Amino acid sequence: MSSPLASKLASKIRARQQALAEQGLLRQRQALSTDAVLSDAEPQFCFEGQTYLNFSSNDYLGLSRAPELIAALHRGAQQYGVGSGASPLVTGYNEAHLALETKLCQITGFESALLFSSGFSANSTLCKTLFDKQDVVLADKLVHASIIDGLRDSGADFKRFLHNSTESAERLLAKNTVSALITESVFSMDGDIAPISALSALCRAHNAWLIVDDAHGFAVLDTMVGNTSEPSDIDAQIVTFGKALGCQGAAILGSRELIAFLVSNAREYIYSTALSPANAALALAAVEHCEAHPELRQKLQRNISIFKQLCQDADIPLLGSDTAIQPLIIGDAEQTLLVAQKLKAMGIWVGAIRPPTVPVGSARLRITLSASHSEAAIRRCVKGIAQVLTEVALPRVSERPAR
Ligand SMILES: Cc1ncc(COP(=O)(O)O)c(C=O)c1O
């Protein structure tokens, strides 16, 4: 027998799920098989007996399957065990964490670092620990959900500036006493790059901090710190290990004072089991691997160029990104799912991104490239997209209205 409260909740759940289903916004998981992944250099996986080319992961350098890093995780587990066993301030922080933090500071120029089990946790914790209702904080219109959630929880007065618009940011800086401005280095759903130097100059002029979520730039853009050559331009930077580094976890980088403040005040850090030391050792090995193999970044750049050229030749209307994230706006959420489904039928798996992840009316395919894609796989992907666009009659580049 369910209680009145339980049935009230059950009705709410059913109504909400039905509404999402009607809008084509219901989300479902698919348990993929990784058997084929380890045995094959091409990014692909199996699902229900079918093999798919993977054009939807953030494993930009193909490191999640690199034999050297599989060995590093194994070594880390043998040395430290598989878990940290406690929160960092109890007994969960060990020499593997310190070694990774030290390395991250060395390559980025920041004084200090703090590790988390995920980028989501790092972003939301930073925002809700640093700000309170006395702060005005500016955030780019397209920043990640973890930043928005953290800002909401903080109680700060948070205002959005138009995506990548320094004019819009400047107008808000001129009108308000702003504590900080937050942006991403490479935007996760659009693939474009923030004007970090210009934003930094504005922040300096208005005595505000600049905070950069470098989840999709770290270890991919030319410098290890994202698209800034001067770490002193940035007051806090969030790097994640689950994208180009191919593993898991994240770090906040900043001044010694900021990190000490977070150690004493950030609830997710204080009251959560520390990232496992084996994972910290793995992330360190991944950073060193990136440093030792610049050709991986070159291969990624080459694959991005090949993809863009082939799309241009096929009149496929990409958004114009120069990074590994290549969006193709479809607009309608259900049509986006249909297009992705048709590509799956051809053995090509791309992300179908729908609201609320992206603004209403801008549902899209999010095609991501990796250094480990072969040219043949990229050709197959573009050919598939061109064919599906013809089937669903999506306007080509020349026929599209300006965005
Ligand atoms: C821009 C951005 N920041 C932060 C995160 C969260 O990182 P993680 O996947 O490590 O939780 C993501 C991942 O989706 C992201 O795209």
Side-chain angles (χ1 to χ4, degrees):
M1 237 349 218
S2 58
S3 69
L5 179 63
S7 29
K8 195 173 146 203
L9 285 177
S11 313
K12 183 169 84 176
I13 289 168
R14 260 173 243 135
R16 175 89 178 119
Q17 290 294 87
Q18 195 179 334
L20 287 175
E22 280 162 11
Q23 298 164 61
L25 296 179
L26 206 57
R27 287 153 197 258
Q28 278 156 340
R29 300 176 296 166
Q30 287 124 345
L32 308 174
S33 153
T34 50
D35 293 353
V37 170
L38 293 175
S39 61
D40 197 330
E42 192 78 72
Q44 57 186 23
F45 47 69
C46 291
F47 179 59
E48 294 179 342
Q50 286 283 338
T51 302
Y52 296 90
L53 281 174
N54 185 357
F55 280 92
S56 64
S57 102
N58 302 317
D59 186 13
Y60 304 124
L61 300 177
L63 296 189
S64 74
R65 301 170 302 141
E68 298 89 335
L69 298 188
I70 293 169
L73 181 58
H74 192 228
R75 270 197 314 277
Q78 279 180 324
Q79 187 170 356
Y80 302 111
V82 294
S84 63
S87 63
L89 301 191
V90 181
T91 53
Y93 181 68
N94 95 0
E95 60 187 18
H97 301 106
L98 177 61
L100 173 58
E101 290 174 357
T102 305
K103 180 70 184 176
L104 291 172
C105 289
Q106 185 205 323
I107 60 174
T108 59
F110 283 97
E111 285 177 356
S112 197
L114 197 65
L115 301 179
F116 290 83
S117 298
S118 78
F120 198 106
S121 178
N123 272 340
S124 63
T125 306
L126 177 65
C127 292
K128 65 183 159 191
T129 312
L130 200 49
F131 306 120
D132 59 39
K133 59 181 186 318
Q134 283 162 10
D135 292 297
V136 178
V137 182
L138 305 187
D140 186 286
K141 190 91 182 114
L142 297 187
V143 290
H144 193 256
S146 51
I147 296 170
I148 296 168
D149 285 9
L151 288 174
R152 279 193 186 135
D153 286 354
S154 75
D157 178 5
F158 96 90
K159 300 178 189 295
R160 317 290 291 272
F161 59 94
L162 296 176
H163 176 52
N164 270 350
S165 166
T166 47
E167 293 78 21
S168 172
E170 189 166 18
R171 274 196 297 277
L172 288 170
L173 280 160
K175 273 200 219 141
N176 301 276
T177 305
V178 172
S179 301
L181 181 151
I182 309 182
T183 189
E184 294 180 16
S185 57
V186 174
F187 281 84
S188 59
M189 294 300 140
D190 287 47
D192 52 353
I193 296 175
I196 298 292
S197 301
L199 290 174
S200 174
L202 279 179
C203 286
R204 293 288 168 263
H206 291 270
N207 205 18
W209 273 23
L210 175 61
I211 298 177
V212 178
D213 175 357
D214 197 19
H216 295 276
F218 187 61
V220 175
L221 296 184
D222 268 351
T223 61
M224 291 291 281
V225 287
N227 66 334
T228 172
S229 48
E230 286 296 325
S232 57
D233 283 352
I234 298 175
D235 298 282
Q237 180 173 340
I238 297 86
V239 297
T240 63
F241 313 144
K243 321 281 185 210
L245 293 189
C247 34
Q248 181 151 31
I252 298 172
L253 298 156
S255 66
R256 244 175 244 113
E257 198 176 23
L258 170 66
I259 300 304
F261 168 76
L262 293 172
V263 167
S264 292
N265 294 282
R267 292 168 68 81
E268 276 87 343
Y269 190 72
I270 299 168
Y271 299 111
S272 181
T273 301
L275 178 75
S276 81
N279 266 302
L282 167 63
L284 175 58
V287 170
E288 288 169 347
H289 191 86
C290 287
E291 281 185 310
H293 295 281
E295 75 279 4
L296 287 174
R297 285 195 292 285
Q298 288 155 11
K299 175 83 192 309
L300 174 63
Q301 281 312 320
R302 199 161 63 241
N303 281 350
I304 295 168
S305 302
I306 291 170
F307 177 82
K308 289 184 66 175
Q309 186 61 54
L310 289 172
C311 285
Q312 193 179 325
D313 296 347
D315 204 17
I316 294 172
L318 295 175
L319 208 50
S321 148
D322 292 322
T323 67
I325 301 165
Q326 293 290 327
L328 168 54
I329 306 284
I330 307 285
D332 176 69
E334 285 191 53
Q335 203 180 22
T336 302
L337 279 186
L338 176 72
V339 171
Q341 213 51 53
K342 282 177 176 285
L343 284 167
K344 271 184 197 154
M346 297 175 182
I348 300 159
W349 198 295
V350 301
I353 312 292
R354 296 164 288 158
T357 308
V358 291
V360 173
S362 74
R364 64 195 67 186
L365 298 185
R366 177 180 184 266
I367 304 135
T368 48
L369 294 152
S370 165
S372 52
H373 282 126
S374 66
E375 183 169 338
I378 297 171
R379 284 186 181 279
R380 213 180 114 196
C381 176
V382 175
K383 199 167 160 209
I385 294 172
Q387 185 180 323
V388 172
L389 293 191
T390 308
E391 286 172 22
V392 300
L394 190 81
R396 293 309 178 82
V397 177
S398 37
E399 305 152 0
R400 294 204 129 195
R403 219 173 146 236

